[in-house]
Amino acid sequence: MTSTLLTGLSELWTLDPALDDPGRPGDIAEGQVLRDAALVIEDGVIAWTGPAAAAPSADRAEDLGGRAVLPGWVDSHSHLIFDGDRAAEFEARMAGQPYAAGGIGVTTEATRAASEERLRDLTRARIAEARRGGTTCLETKTGYGLSVEEELRGARLASALVAEGELDEATFLGAHLVPHEYTGRAEEYVDLVTGPMLAAVAPHVRWIDVFCEEGAFDPEQSERVLCAGAEAGLGLRVHGHQLGRSGGVALAVELGAASVDHLNHLDAADLEQLAASDTVATVLPACDLSTRAPLAPARELLDAGARLAIASNANPGTSWTSSVSFCVTTAVLQMHLSLGEAVRAATRGGALALRREDVGHLAVGARADLHVLDAPAAIHLAYRPGMPLTHQVWRAGIRQR
Ligand code: NIG
């Protein structure tokens, strides 16, 4: 068992859950950010944190030179298993075309045509890119296969990457869009998703998701998908209220989903319902900007008392970036969160959305996932928007870059 001592931490954001302030659940509490700190990693987990002056010795030591250290980002929403490019669709959108769910079909065509090896290489490269940006815990979804065979191929790939420690969580999203071969037969496609497709895929994933939105699946169809998933032992996630008040919030809360994601269109009753539930409200700032949608009301969600997460939603159609740092910057500059609220939502919030306690913080016993910034204070993420501030990334005690 080798231990590593890191010194020279100008800020150490432990976000220790034991120190949470119940009066301000979405913000940083007293003692959760240490100054002039040190930490010890042992066996891939945090073994000690505290003032540099009191640091114990270890087998090896490294001086971080006065840099701020955060928990690695926990990205609870991405779609990385695909082939194809939709830059033309994006360009048309920037020229005034509205976003519609149908673009998913374009990526489905390209993904179905990709070889096994190509799909694996593309997905691996995207995970590596996310890692270089400070993401150390990553969920990804199927959803560009949309047939039993192709969804199974995506789920197997995701589960192999989880087993290799590249990915952390795999989600089945057969209910992403009704594929063209089922045009006019949406109910039959839902039968397929909830029957043979789910049976094939369930052993390879932990979660099931549904795109509950106009142009994708209505609330009744979405409920069938989620109930079948729950019956198969999967945890529930929902895409909802992206294009309108789709009913996804009520469904997610009623069925006890871990998370409902997007949330661009919420009324006061939705806010209240989320605040009174355990369902995490996940906002996706990069997607909001890339679709020119109204920004999800992150400030209002926190003020109402909802549990908030920030994720990248990296996908080829609506958010072709896995940069959680960019999302955090946007949340501060444009969604009116404090830096502490935004960092917390992209770490502890993401972990909660994935129902995980081992990541998203750096208290003793947590997985040693560190995001070392090339800055003396984390506020530089918003103060220096767009600058390459990721200096080092550690996952489970191993330095990745
Ligand atoms: O989260 N909303 C559904 N899925 C993606 C869109 C994927 C696509 O357009 O390819 C999203 O935005």
Side-chain angles (χ1 to χ4, degrees):
M1 184 158 61
T2 315
S3 56
T4 303
L5 168 67
L6 298 180
T7 56
L9 285 67
S10 51
E11 289 181 354
L12 172 57
W13 290 55
T14 70
L15 303 186
D16 184 345
L19 301 176
D20 280 350
D21 177 351
R24 293 159 60 233
D27 208 349
I28 303 303
E30 185 75 30
Q32 288 183 325
V33 180
L34 310 178
R35 321 260 161 207
D36 298 320
L39 70 79
V40 177
I41 299 170
E42 216 167 75
D43 243 5
V45 301
I46 303 294
W48 182 90
T49 62
S57 60
D59 300 324
R60 55 179 292 273
E62 187 171 332
D63 183 353
L64 295 180
R67 293 184 166 89
V69 174
L70 302 174
W73 302 131
V74 179
D75 189 352
S76 60
H77 184 141
S78 81
H79 306 248
L80 300 182
I81 304 171
F82 68 89
D83 197 359
D85 178 270
R86 304 218 330 251
E89 176 189 318
F90 174 77
E91 201 167 0
R93 194 157 67 238
M94 294 305 108
Q97 292 278 325
Y99 172 72
I104 294 164
V106 174
T107 302
T108 299
E109 291 296 303
T111 304
R112 288 176 175 179
S115 72
E116 193 98 8
E117 197 184 8
R118 179 170 164 81
L119 211 49
R120 193 189 54 230
D121 291 351
L122 287 169
T123 307
R124 273 186 192 286
R126 290 166 188 149
I127 294 168
E129 194 172 47
R131 196 79 87 226
R132 287 198 294 277
T135 296
T136 51
C137 179
L138 181 59
E139 178 265 12
T140 210
K141 304 176 199 297
T142 69
Y144 292 115
L146 308 184
S147 67
V148 174
E149 214 174 79
E150 290 292 328
E151 284 296 305
L152 179 58
R153 185 162 80 129
R156 279 202 174 118
L157 171 57
S159 92
L161 292 167
V162 170
E164 288 168 31
E166 295 282 320
L167 276 177
D168 295 85
E169 300 282 340
T171 300
F172 168 47
L173 181 57
H176 201 185
L177 186 79
V178 177
H180 69 82
E181 60 274 20
Y182 278 84
T183 302
R185 297 187 293 136
E187 291 302 328
E188 272 178 61
Y189 183 65
V190 175
D191 291 343
L192 182 77
V193 170
T194 56
M197 198 184 279
L198 176 62
V201 164
H204 304 284
V205 297
R206 180 174 172 216
W207 303 98
I208 188 166
D209 199 340
V210 59
F211 188 13
C212 177
E213 204 71 60
E214 193 173 330
F217 297 89
D218 67 27
E220 291 72 32
Q221 293 164 338
S222 300
E223 183 171 1
R224 279 181 65 202
V225 170
L226 294 170
C227 289
E231 186 75 16
L234 304 182
L236 310 183
R237 324 189 68 75
V238 178
H239 281 60
H241 295 229
Q242 178 183 12
L243 308 176
R245 293 192 59 250
S246 64
V249 165
L251 193 60
V253 169
E254 274 159 30
L255 297 181
S259 183
V260 55
D261 303 25
H262 282 288
L263 304 177
N264 302 83
H265 300 273
L266 297 179
D267 70 7
D270 299 323
L271 290 172
E272 220 172 278
Q273 204 170 15
L274 282 164
S277 79
D278 284 340
T279 300
V280 173
T282 300
V283 298
L284 311 167
C287 177
D288 300 352
L289 294 179
S290 295
T291 53
R292 294 203 173 136
L295 291 172
R299 176 76 270 148
E300 289 80 354
L301 281 160
L302 272 183
D303 290 346
R307 296 146 176 253
L308 186 75
I310 291 174
S312 74
N313 187 22
N315 78 78
T318 62
S319 186
W320 196 199
T321 175
S322 58
S323 174
V324 177
S325 296
F326 173 74
C327 295
V328 165
T329 304
T330 303
V332 175
L333 296 181
Q334 296 195 263
M335 290 172 150
H336 302 278
L337 299 195
S338 68
L339 179 77
E341 289 168 335
V343 166
R344 188 186 159 104
T347 53
R348 294 277 305 282
L352 196 58
L354 295 172
R355 299 291 189 251
R356 298 198 44 157
E357 294 182 353
D358 58 328
V359 294
H361 64 94
L362 297 173
V364 170
R367 197 167 84 183
D369 289 0
L370 315 180
H371 185 188
V372 182
L373 299 181
D374 205 0
I379 190 64
H380 281 232
L381 283 167
Y383 176 46
R384 307 194 68 217
M387 300 308 288
L389 294 184
T390 298
H391 177 66
Q392 289 180 2
V393 180
W394 297 62
R395 185 174 182 278
I398 296 167
R399 191 168 151 190
Q400 316 280 300
R401 67 164 286 182

